[in-house]
Amino acid sequence: MEDESGNEGDGYAMSDSPLARWRIEFSKSFQNRLDRSAPHPVRRWLVTLIAAVIYIYRVYYAYGFFVVSYGLATYILNLLIGFLSPKVDPELEALDPSASSESSKDSDEFKPFVRRLPEFKFWYAATKAFLVAFVMTFFSFLDVPVFWPILLCYWLFLYFLTMKRQIVHMFKYRYVPFDIRKKRYGGNDKPSSSNSPQSDENTPQT
């Protein structure tokens, strides 16, 4: 009994340690700042633009880390596709007869475009990617020698094919990834903290 009570006391002391309290306070403060930044997309993306410029300058100054840059660009492209794609794939709805019948009944009602990747999560993931890539440029073993024009041409080819497929998908299923009609009729389209990357999960994924 004494051992069990001692173990419980040690566990409580560890959870109440200064490091644990600092982590909890930092997590709350960080989440609070994220929630406060949600209604300000222009300021948020300006921060991301500054981070991108700093990263580009770092790569240009070091003249290396082209593989890291290629991975970063591919990851940003993947985020962009998720941002432009609907949450529910129209191809799956077309295969489901019950869903198609319900959609035909509600065709007169305006339904806002629901993204697979919300704008806030897109911004958060992109900003974090630039910061992580910037830190990676300080590790020399990640500077793999490669002929960078080949990577650039391959990424441009990948970008062209991906965006072409996405645009064809938009025209085929007649959806626009922007709520133009909602804004035209004076609807409020303010982002909320519910799009925060920590609203669904306690910690953001890397």
Side-chain angles (χ1 to χ4, degrees), residues 100-115:
S100 60
S101 61
E102 292 178 359
S103 61
S104 61
K105 293 179 181 178
D106 301 335
S107 58
D108 295 335
E109 298 180 2
F110 169 69
K111 294 182 180 180
F113 181 82
V114 181
R115 305 180 187 279

Side-chain angles (χ1 to χ4, degrees), residues 82-89 111-118 175-179 195:
F83 177 73
L84 297 176
S85 301
K87 185 176 182 179
V88 180
D89 194 346
K111 294 182 180 180
F113 181 82
V114 181
R115 305 180 187 279
R116 189 175 66 191
L117 181 65
Y175 66 88
V176 180
F178 302 101
D179 298 335
N195 289 334

Side-chain angles (χ1 to χ4, degrees), residues 140-158:
S140 58
F141 68 92
L142 296 176
D143 188 9
V144 181
V146 66
F147 188 58
W148 66 266
I150 295 179
L151 287 181
L152 178 61
C153 293
Y154 183 76
W155 186 86
L156 291 176
F157 180 71
L158 179 64

Side-chain angles (χ1 to χ4, degrees), residues 11-184:
Y12 178 77
M14 292 178 61
S15 63
D16 198 28
S17 64
L19 180 60
R21 289 199 303 267
W22 179 83
R23 290 180 60 183
I24 294 174
E25 292 177 359
F26 177 78
S27 178
K28 291 181 179 179
S29 176
F30 182 71
Q31 182 62 35
N32 185 30
R33 290 181 179 273
L34 283 180
D35 294 339
R36 290 171 58 184
S37 66
H40 307 287
V42 177
R43 297 179 183 178
R44 288 190 281 105
W45 283 105
L46 183 60
V47 172
T48 306
L49 179 61
I50 294 175
V53 171
I54 294 176
Y55 173 78
I56 293 173
Y57 177 78
R58 167 63 181 166
V59 172
Y60 176 79
Y61 178 78
Y63 196 76
F65 303 97
F66 301 118
V67 175
V68 175
S69 300
Y70 174 78
L72 173 63
T74 305
Y75 179 71
I76 296 297
L77 178 60
N78 186 36
L79 293 177
L80 178 62
I81 295 301
F83 177 73
L84 297 176
S85 301
K87 185 176 182 179
V88 180
D89 194 346
E91 292 182 354
L92 299 179
E93 289 185 341
L95 296 176
D96 189 0
S98 60
S100 60
S101 61
E102 292 178 359
S103 61
S104 61
K105 293 179 181 178
D106 301 335
S107 58
D108 295 335
E109 298 180 2
F110 169 69
K111 294 182 180 180
F113 181 82
V114 181
R115 305 180 187 279
R116 189 175 66 191
L117 181 65
E119 181 271 335
F120 189 89
K121 290 186 177 182
F122 178 31
W123 164 80
Y124 181 80
T127 306
K128 186 169 62 174
F130 277 111
L131 295 179
V132 172
F134 178 76
V135 174
M136 292 174 66
T137 58
F138 290 94
F139 297 92
S140 58
F141 68 92
L142 296 176
D143 188 9
V144 181
V146 66
F147 188 58
W148 66 266
I150 295 179
L151 287 181
L152 178 61
C153 293
Y154 183 76
W155 186 86
L156 291 176
F157 180 71
L158 179 64
Y159 174 82
F160 174 77
L161 290 182
T162 305
M163 293 304 299
K164 179 182 178 182
R165 182 177 59 184
Q166 184 66 27
I167 293 174
V168 170
H169 194 267
M170 292 179 188
F171 279 100
K172 181 178 180 181
Y173 294 99
R174 300 177 183 178
Y175 66 88
V176 180
F178 302 101
D179 298 335
I180 301 176
R181 181 178 175 183
K182 184 177 180 180
K183 294 180 180 179
R184 183 183 302 173

